[in-house]
Amino acid sequence: AGTKSGTDVTAKVGAAEEGNGKKARTGPVKFYVGTDQCDLWEVTATSVRILIAGSGSALNDVAWNPTVPHVCATIGEDGWVKLWNAEKRAQFAVRDLSAGVS
């Protein structure tokens, strides 16, 4: 179960490990959804918004930078990998991998 915190929902993560002496972590519960229009949506318990409006083919995957939380990489069905600054909603690098990696 979570508790409301502003516009985000805070949930307990790792509660099963508390008995082992490990500290439980809390954080906002957010989900990211890609669309067939290459948009990336951010979904919380209280809001839904387009985080990155893209163009091109269906969005197959997204990976978030673990040390720079507002930076992510997306890959579309067309094989294009794009790096994004989600805070600025801006793409800053792109590479076509549809022919494979050499």
Side-chain angles (χ1 to χ4, degrees), residues 40-81:
L40 182 63
W41 289 74
E42 179 183 77
V43 181
T44 70
T46 58
S47 68
V48 177
R49 68 181 180 128
I50 293 179
L51 190 61
I52 298 169
S55 61
S57 68
L59 185 64
N60 288 350
D61 208 352
V62 61
W64 292 92
N65 185 318
T67 58
V68 186
H70 62 274
V71 172
C72 68
T74 61
I75 184 155
E77 197 167 290
D78 58 3
W80 284 90
V81 174

mmCIF file of all heavy atoms in Angstrom, residues 40-81:
data_model
loop_
_atom_site.group_PDB
_atom_site.id
_atom_site.type_symbol
_atom_site.label_atom_id
_atom_site.label_comp_id
_atom_site.label_asym_id
_atom_site.label_seq_id
_atom_site.Cartn_x
_atom_site.Cartn_y
_atom_site.Cartn_z
ATOM 1 N N LEU A 40 6.188 8.714 -25.487
ATOM 2 C CA LEU A 40 6.455 8.120 -24.187
ATOM 3 C C LEU A 40 5.584 8.842 -23.170
ATOM 4 O O LEU A 40 5.714 10.046 -22.972
ATOM 5 C CB LEU A 40 7.937 8.263 -23.818
ATOM 6 C CG LEU A 40 8.361 7.634 -22.504
ATOM 7 C CD1 LEU A 40 8.149 6.127 -22.534
ATOM 8 C CD2 LEU A 40 9.813 7.957 -22.203
ATOM 9 N N TRP A 41 4.670 8.098 -22.543
ATOM 10 C CA TRP A 41 3.741 8.647 -21.566
ATOM 11 C C TRP A 41 4.215 8.304 -20.168
ATOM 12 O O TRP A 41 4.680 7.195 -19.925
ATOM 13 C CB TRP A 41 2.348 8.067 -21.760
ATOM 14 C CG TRP A 41 1.644 8.545 -22.983
ATOM 15 C CD1 TRP A 41 1.905 8.176 -24.270
ATOM 16 C CD2 TRP A 41 0.573 9.469 -23.046
ATOM 17 N NE1 TRP A 41 1.054 8.822 -25.129
ATOM 18 C CE2 TRP A 41 0.227 9.618 -24.406
ATOM 19 C CE3 TRP A 41 -0.132 10.178 -22.086
ATOM 20 C CZ2 TRP A 41 -0.803 10.459 -24.813
ATOM 21 C CZ3 TRP A 41 -1.151 11.014 -22.508
ATOM 22 C CH2 TRP A 41 -1.480 11.149 -23.852
ATOM 23 N N GLU A 42 4.076 9.255 -19.248
ATOM 24 C CA GLU A 42 4.349 9.029 -17.833
ATOM 25 C C GLU A 42 2.996 8.921 -17.121
ATOM 26 O O GLU A 42 2.157 9.803 -17.245
ATOM 27 C CB GLU A 42 5.146 10.186 -17.243
ATOM 28 C CG GLU A 42 5.443 10.021 -15.769
ATOM 29 C CD GLU A 42 6.167 11.226 -15.212
ATOM 30 O OE1 GLU A 42 5.503 12.259 -14.982
ATOM 31 O OE2 GLU A 42 7.387 11.134 -15.034
ATOM 32 N N VAL A 43 2.802 7.829 -16.387
ATOM 33 C CA VAL A 43 1.541 7.579 -15.709
ATOM 34 C C VAL A 43 1.802 7.426 -14.215
ATOM 35 O O VAL A 43 2.641 6.631 -13.805
ATOM 36 C CB VAL A 43 0.878 6.286 -16.252
ATOM 37 C CG1 VAL A 43 -0.450 6.039 -15.563
ATOM 38 C CG2 VAL A 43 0.712 6.355 -17.766
ATOM 39 N N THR A 44 1.099 8.229 -13.406
ATOM 40 C CA THR A 44 1.152 8.100 -11.944
ATOM 41 C C THR A 44 -0.269 7.832 -11.466
ATOM 42 O O THR A 44 -1.203 7.779 -12.269
ATOM 43 C CB THR A 44 1.703 9.367 -11.268
ATOM 44 O OG1 THR A 44 0.741 10.416 -11.399
ATOM 45 C CG2 THR A 44 3.038 9.801 -11.861
ATOM 46 N N ALA A 45 -0.439 7.711 -10.179
ATOM 47 C CA ALA A 45 -1.767 7.467 -9.620
ATOM 48 C C ALA A 45 -2.701 8.647 -9.841
ATOM 49 O O ALA A 45 -3.919 8.485 -9.836
ATOM 50 C CB ALA A 45 -1.658 7.152 -8.137
ATOM 51 N N THR A 46 -2.154 9.836 -10.056
ATOM 52 C CA THR A 46 -2.993 11.028 -10.156
ATOM 53 C C THR A 46 -2.875 11.782 -11.477
ATOM 54 O O THR A 46 -3.578 12.756 -11.677
ATOM 55 C CB THR A 46 -2.649 12.006 -9.019
ATOM 56 O OG1 THR A 46 -1.261 12.338 -9.111
ATOM 57 C CG2 THR A 46 -2.960 11.405 -7.662
ATOM 58 N N SER A 47 -1.977 11.340 -12.375
ATOM 59 C CA SER A 47 -1.823 12.085 -13.628
ATOM 60 C C SER A 47 -1.337 11.186 -14.765
ATOM 61 O O SER A 47 -0.748 10.139 -14.540
ATOM 62 C CB SER A 47 -0.838 13.241 -13.443
ATOM 63 O OG SER A 47 0.465 12.736 -13.226
ATOM 64 N N VAL A 48 -1.616 11.639 -15.966
ATOM 65 C CA VAL A 48 -1.126 11.009 -17.181
ATOM 66 C C VAL A 48 -0.671 12.142 -18.080
ATOM 67 O O VAL A 48 -1.391 13.112 -18.282
ATOM 68 C CB VAL A 48 -2.238 10.206 -17.895
ATOM 69 C CG1 VAL A 48 -1.735 9.627 -19.197
ATOM 70 C CG2 VAL A 48 -2.780 9.114 -16.993
ATOM 71 N N ARG A 49 0.576 12.048 -18.594
ATOM 72 C CA ARG A 49 1.047 13.109 -19.484
ATOM 73 C C ARG A 49 2.037 12.540 -20.492
ATOM 74 O O ARG A 49 2.679 11.525 -20.237
ATOM 75 C CB ARG A 49 1.709 14.236 -18.699
ATOM 76 C CG ARG A 49 3.025 13.845 -18.054
ATOM 77 C CD ARG A 49 3.636 15.000 -17.272
ATOM 78 N NE ARG A 49 4.890 14.602 -16.666
ATOM 79 C CZ ARG A 49 6.016 15.270 -16.790
ATOM 80 N NH1 ARG A 49 6.053 16.381 -17.477
ATOM 81 N NH2 ARG A 49 7.122 14.846 -16.204
ATOM 82 N N ILE A 50 2.124 13.211 -21.631
ATOM 83 C CA ILE A 50 3.140 12.837 -22.610
ATOM 84 C C ILE A 50 4.460 13.402 -22.107
ATOM 85 O O ILE A 50 4.608 14.604 -21.928
ATOM 86 C CB ILE A 50 2.825 13.386 -24.009
ATOM 87 C CG1 ILE A 50 1.586 12.712 -24.582
ATOM 88 C CG2 ILE A 50 4.009 13.166 -24.939
ATOM 89 C CD1 ILE A 50 1.196 13.217 -25.959
ATOM 90 N N LEU A 51 5.397 12.526 -21.844
ATOM 91 C CA LEU A 51 6.716 12.952 -21.399
ATOM 92 C C LEU A 51 7.559 13.343 -22.599
ATOM 93 O O LEU A 51 8.242 14.361 -22.596
ATOM 94 C CB LEU A 51 7.378 11.819 -20.613
ATOM 95 C CG LEU A 51 8.642 12.144 -19.867
ATOM 96 C CD1 LEU A 51 8.398 13.206 -18.807
ATOM 97 C CD2 LEU A 51 9.219 10.899 -19.235
ATOM 98 N N ILE A 52 7.512 12.520 -23.638
ATOM 99 C CA ILE A 52 8.260 12.790 -24.863
ATOM 100 C C ILE A 52 7.346 12.477 -26.039
ATOM 101 O O ILE A 52 6.853 11.368 -26.171
ATOM 102 C CB ILE A 52 9.527 11.916 -24.952
ATOM 103 C CG1 ILE A 52 10.474 12.238 -23.791
ATOM 104 C CG2 ILE A 52 10.216 12.101 -26.289
ATOM 105 C CD1 ILE A 52 11.620 11.266 -23.643
ATOM 106 N N ALA A 53 7.114 13.468 -26.868
ATOM 107 C CA ALA A 53 6.334 13.263 -28.081
ATOM 108 C C ALA A 53 7.313 12.946 -29.207
ATOM 109 O O ALA A 53 8.185 13.741 -29.521
ATOM 110 C CB ALA A 53 5.518 14.507 -28.406
ATOM 111 N N GLY A 54 7.186 11.771 -29.741
ATOM 112 C CA GLY A 54 8.132 11.335 -30.773
ATOM 113 C C GLY A 54 7.491 11.318 -32.137
ATOM 114 O O GLY A 54 6.397 11.805 -32.353
ATOM 115 N N SER A 55 8.211 10.751 -33.044
ATOM 116 C CA SER A 55 7.681 10.540 -34.379
ATOM 117 C C SER A 55 8.333 9.285 -34.909
ATOM 118 O O SER A 55 9.410 8.893 -34.482
ATOM 119 C CB SER A 55 8.003 11.731 -35.285
ATOM 120 O OG SER A 55 9.404 11.874 -35.386
ATOM 121 N N GLY A 56 7.668 8.648 -35.800
ATOM 122 C CA GLY A 56 8.240 7.433 -36.372
ATOM 123 C C GLY A 56 7.435 6.212 -36.017
ATOM 124 O O GLY A 56 6.224 6.271 -35.870
ATOM 125 N N SER A 57 8.122 5.124 -35.832
ATOM 126 C CA SER A 57 7.465 3.838 -35.632
ATOM 127 C C SER A 57 7.132 3.598 -34.167
ATOM 128 O O SER A 57 7.433 4.401 -33.293
ATOM 129 C CB SER A 57 8.378 2.728 -36.141
ATOM 130 O OG SER A 57 9.520 2.628 -35.321
ATOM 131 N N ALA A 58 6.552 2.428 -33.907
ATOM 132 C CA ALA A 58 6.171 2.039 -32.545
ATOM 133 C C ALA A 58 7.392 2.019 -31.637
ATOM 134 O O ALA A 58 8.493 1.658 -32.051
ATOM 135 C CB ALA A 58 5.516 0.665 -32.565
ATOM 136 N N LEU A 59 7.185 2.427 -30.408
ATOM 137 C CA LEU A 59 8.251 2.440 -29.404
ATOM 138 C C LEU A 59 8.332 1.060 -28.768
ATOM 139 O O LEU A 59 7.376 0.587 -28.173
ATOM 140 C CB LEU A 59 7.948 3.507 -28.349
ATOM 141 C CG LEU A 59 8.998 3.755 -27.288
ATOM 142 C CD1 LEU A 59 10.280 4.289 -27.926
ATOM 143 C CD2 LEU A 59 8.474 4.739 -26.270
ATOM 144 N N ASN A 60 9.471 0.378 -28.919
ATOM 145 C CA ASN A 60 9.618 -0.987 -28.410
ATOM 146 C C ASN A 60 10.136 -1.051 -26.989
ATOM 147 O O ASN A 60 9.772 -1.951 -26.241
ATOM 148 C CB ASN A 60 10.556 -1.797 -29.300
ATOM 149 C CG ASN A 60 9.924 -2.148 -30.622
ATOM 150 O OD1 ASN A 60 8.742 -1.950 -30.824
ATOM 151 N ND2 ASN A 60 10.715 -2.670 -31.530
ATOM 152 N N ASP A 61 11.003 -0.117 -26.599
ATOM 153 C CA ASP A 61 11.578 -0.198 -25.257
ATOM 154 C C ASP A 61 12.123 1.158 -24.841
ATOM 155 O O ASP A 61 12.405 2.011 -25.674
ATOM 156 C CB ASP A 61 12.703 -1.229 -25.221
ATOM 157 C CG ASP A 61 12.887 -1.855 -23.841
ATOM 158 O OD1 ASP A 61 12.249 -1.397 -22.871
ATOM 159 O OD2 ASP A 61 13.676 -2.793 -23.733
ATOM 160 N N VAL A 62 12.252 1.325 -23.536
ATOM 161 C CA VAL A 62 12.865 2.516 -22.962
ATOM 162 C C VAL A 62 13.759 2.065 -21.813
ATOM 163 O O VAL A 62 13.425 1.125 -21.096
ATOM 164 C CB VAL A 62 11.809 3.542 -22.478
ATOM 165 C CG1 VAL A 62 10.918 2.960 -21.403
ATOM 166 C CG2 VAL A 62 12.451 4.817 -21.998
ATOM 167 N N ALA A 63 14.908 2.696 -21.680
ATOM 168 C CA ALA A 63 15.828 2.405 -20.572
ATOM 169 C C ALA A 63 16.257 3.730 -19.965
ATOM 170 O O ALA A 63 16.672 4.646 -20.674
ATOM 171 C CB ALA A 63 17.050 1.641 -21.079
ATOM 172 N N TRP A 64 16.150 3.819 -18.634
ATOM 173 C CA TRP A 64 16.488 5.047 -17.917
ATOM 174 C C TRP A 64 17.903 4.960 -17.391
ATOM 175 O O TRP A 64 18.350 3.918 -16.920
ATOM 176 C CB TRP A 64 15.509 5.286 -16.768
ATOM 177 C CG TRP A 64 14.153 5.600 -17.295
ATOM 178 C CD1 TRP A 64 13.148 4.716 -17.545
ATOM 179 C CD2 TRP A 64 13.673 6.876 -17.708
ATOM 180 N NE1 TRP A 64 12.071 5.367 -18.070
ATOM 181 C CE2 TRP A 64 12.356 6.696 -18.189
ATOM 182 C CE3 TRP A 64 14.218 8.158 -17.718
ATOM 183 C CZ2 TRP A 64 11.582 7.752 -18.665
ATOM 184 C CZ3 TRP A 64 13.446 9.203 -18.192
ATOM 185 C CH2 TRP A 64 12.146 8.993 -18.655
ATOM 186 N N ASN A 65 18.625 6.077 -17.474
ATOM 187 C CA ASN A 65 19.978 6.155 -16.955
ATOM 188 C C ASN A 65 19.913 6.094 -15.426
ATOM 189 O O ASN A 65 19.249 6.923 -14.808
ATOM 190 C CB ASN A 65 20.627 7.467 -17.412
ATOM 191 C CG ASN A 65 22.065 7.588 -17.023
ATOM 192 O OD1 ASN A 65 22.453 7.244 -15.916
ATOM 193 N ND2 ASN A 65 22.867 8.102 -17.929
ATOM 194 N N PRO A 66 20.588 5.126 -14.806
ATOM 195 C CA PRO A 66 20.490 4.997 -13.349
ATOM 196 C C PRO A 66 21.164 6.120 -12.566
ATOM 197 O O PRO A 66 20.839 6.350 -11.411
ATOM 198 C CB PRO A 66 21.168 3.657 -13.062
ATOM 199 C CG PRO A 66 22.053 3.419 -14.223
ATOM 200 C CD PRO A 66 21.418 4.092 -15.402
ATOM 201 N N THR A 67 22.086 6.845 -13.179
ATOM 202 C CA THR A 67 22.763 7.931 -12.456
ATOM 203 C C THR A 67 22.290 9.315 -12.871
ATOM 204 O O THR A 67 22.545 10.282 -12.172
ATOM 205 C CB THR A 67 24.297 7.837 -12.641
ATOM 206 O OG1 THR A 67 24.598 7.885 -14.036
ATOM 207 C CG2 THR A 67 24.837 6.554 -12.034
ATOM 208 N N VAL A 68 21.619 9.422 -14.014
ATOM 209 C CA VAL A 68 21.041 10.688 -14.474
ATOM 210 C C VAL A 68 19.566 10.402 -14.774
ATOM 211 O O VAL A 68 19.205 10.077 -15.895
ATOM 212 C CB VAL A 68 21.771 11.226 -15.735
ATOM 213 C CG1 VAL A 68 21.258 12.606 -16.098
ATOM 214 C CG2 VAL A 68 23.274 11.242 -15.531
ATOM 215 N N PRO A 69 18.705 10.489 -13.753
ATOM 216 C CA PRO A 69 17.334 10.001 -13.850
ATOM 217 C C PRO A 69 16.469 10.622 -14.942
ATOM 218 O O PRO A 69 15.488 10.029 -15.344
ATOM 219 C CB PRO A 69 16.737 10.299 -12.476
ATOM 220 C CG PRO A 69 17.880 10.544 -11.578
ATOM 221 C CD PRO A 69 19.015 11.008 -12.430
ATOM 222 N N HIS A 70 16.819 11.787 -15.441
ATOM 223 C CA HIS A 70 15.988 12.412 -16.471
ATOM 224 C C HIS A 70 16.456 12.060 -17.891
ATOM 225 O O HIS A 70 15.900 12.557 -18.857
ATOM 226 C CB HIS A 70 15.946 13.931 -16.286
ATOM 227 C CG HIS A 70 17.282 14.590 -16.425
ATOM 228 N ND1 HIS A 70 18.155 14.693 -15.362
ATOM 229 C CD2 HIS A 70 17.902 15.145 -17.489
ATOM 230 C CE1 HIS A 70 19.258 15.310 -15.777
ATOM 231 N NE2 HIS A 70 19.121 15.579 -17.067
ATOM 232 N N VAL A 71 17.445 11.197 -18.023
ATOM 233 C CA VAL A 71 17.951 10.790 -19.336
ATOM 234 C C VAL A 71 17.523 9.355 -19.613
ATOM 235 O O VAL A 71 17.666 8.477 -18.759
ATOM 236 C CB VAL A 71 19.485 10.924 -19.408
ATOM 237 C CG1 VAL A 71 20.036 10.316 -20.687
ATOM 238 C CG2 VAL A 71 19.886 12.390 -19.307
ATOM 239 N N CYS A 72 16.991 9.134 -20.820
ATOM 240 C CA CYS A 72 16.595 7.785 -21.199
ATOM 241 C C CYS A 72 16.946 7.519 -22.657
ATOM 242 O O CYS A 72 17.210 8.436 -23.426
ATOM 243 C CB CYS A 72 15.108 7.555 -20.977
ATOM 244 S SG CYS A 72 14.021 8.482 -22.073
ATOM 245 N N ALA A 73 16.962 6.248 -23.000
ATOM 246 C CA ALA A 73 17.159 5.808 -24.375
ATOM 247 C C ALA A 73 15.902 5.074 -24.806
ATOM 248 O O ALA A 73 15.324 4.316 -24.025
ATOM 249 C CB ALA A 73 18.364 4.884 -24.475
ATOM 250 N N THR A 74 15.462 5.321 -26.031
ATOM 251 C CA THR A 74 14.321 4.598 -26.583
ATOM 252 C C THR A 74 14.764 3.895 -27.851
ATOM 253 O O THR A 74 15.704 4.331 -28.526
ATOM 254 C CB THR A 74 13.146 5.533 -26.925
ATOM 255 O OG1 THR A 74 13.564 6.493 -27.907
ATOM 256 C CG2 THR A 74 12.621 6.239 -25.688
ATOM 257 N N ILE A 75 14.092 2.796 -28.172
ATOM 258 C CA ILE A 75 14.309 2.134 -29.456
ATOM 259 C C ILE A 75 12.951 1.885 -30.083
ATOM 260 O O ILE A 75 12.022 1.408 -29.426
ATOM 261 C CB ILE A 75 15.124 0.840 -29.349
ATOM 262 C CG1 ILE A 75 15.384 0.293 -30.752
ATOM 263 C CG2 ILE A 75 14.451 -0.181 -28.461
ATOM 264 C CD1 ILE A 75 16.580 -0.576 -30.891
ATOM 265 N N GLY A 76 12.863 2.272 -31.350
ATOM 266 C CA GLY A 76 11.627 2.093 -32.085
ATOM 267 C C GLY A 76 11.675 0.844 -32.943
ATOM 268 O O GLY A 76 12.729 0.253 -33.165
ATOM 269 N N GLU A 77 10.510 0.455 -33.411
ATOM 270 C CA GLU A 77 10.401 -0.718 -34.269
ATOM 271 C C GLU A 77 11.227 -0.566 -35.539
ATOM 272 O O GLU A 77 11.646 -1.548 -36.142
ATOM 273 C CB GLU A 77 8.927 -0.943 -34.611
ATOM 274 C CG GLU A 77 8.628 -2.318 -35.136
ATOM 275 C CD GLU A 77 7.144 -2.568 -35.153
ATOM 276 O OE1 GLU A 77 6.554 -2.700 -34.077
ATOM 277 O OE2 GLU A 77 6.597 -2.622 -36.268
ATOM 278 N N ASP A 78 11.506 0.669 -35.922
ATOM 279 C CA ASP A 78 12.302 0.929 -37.126
ATOM 280 C C ASP A 78 13.803 0.790 -36.890
ATOM 281 O O ASP A 78 14.605 0.930 -37.813
ATOM 282 C CB ASP A 78 11.999 2.322 -37.665
ATOM 283 C CG ASP A 78 12.266 3.433 -36.655
ATOM 284 O OD1 ASP A 78 12.741 3.136 -35.537
ATOM 285 O OD2 ASP A 78 11.985 4.599 -36.978
ATOM 286 N N GLY A 79 14.228 0.509 -35.644
ATOM 287 C CA GLY A 79 15.642 0.305 -35.353
ATOM 288 C C GLY A 79 16.396 1.544 -34.922
ATOM 289 O O GLY A 79 17.594 1.489 -34.659
ATOM 290 N N TRP A 80 15.729 2.688 -34.808
ATOM 291 C CA TRP A 80 16.390 3.918 -34.383
ATOM 292 C C TRP A 80 16.465 3.977 -32.862
ATOM 293 O O TRP A 80 15.456 3.832 -32.178
ATOM 294 C CB TRP A 80 15.647 5.141 -34.905
ATOM 295 C CG TRP A 80 15.896 5.383 -36.361
ATOM 296 C CD1 TRP A 80 15.173 4.893 -37.407
ATOM 297 C CD2 TRP A 80 16.947 6.152 -36.923
ATOM 298 N NE1 TRP A 80 15.702 5.307 -38.584
ATOM 299 C CE2 TRP A 80 16.807 6.083 -38.325
ATOM 300 C CE3 TRP A 80 17.999 6.876 -36.388
ATOM 301 C CZ2 TRP A 80 17.667 6.730 -39.190
ATOM 302 C CZ3 TRP A 80 18.863 7.518 -37.260
ATOM 303 C CH2 TRP A 80 18.696 7.442 -38.638
ATOM 304 N N VAL A 81 17.664 4.195 -32.336
ATOM 305 C CA VAL A 81 17.877 4.413 -30.902
ATOM 306 C C VAL A 81 18.023 5.911 -30.705
ATOM 307 O O VAL A 81 18.800 6.570 -31.406
ATOM 308 C CB VAL A 81 19.142 3.684 -30.399
ATOM 309 C CG1 VAL A 81 19.426 4.040 -28.950
ATOM 310 C CG2 VAL A 81 18.982 2.179 -30.556
#
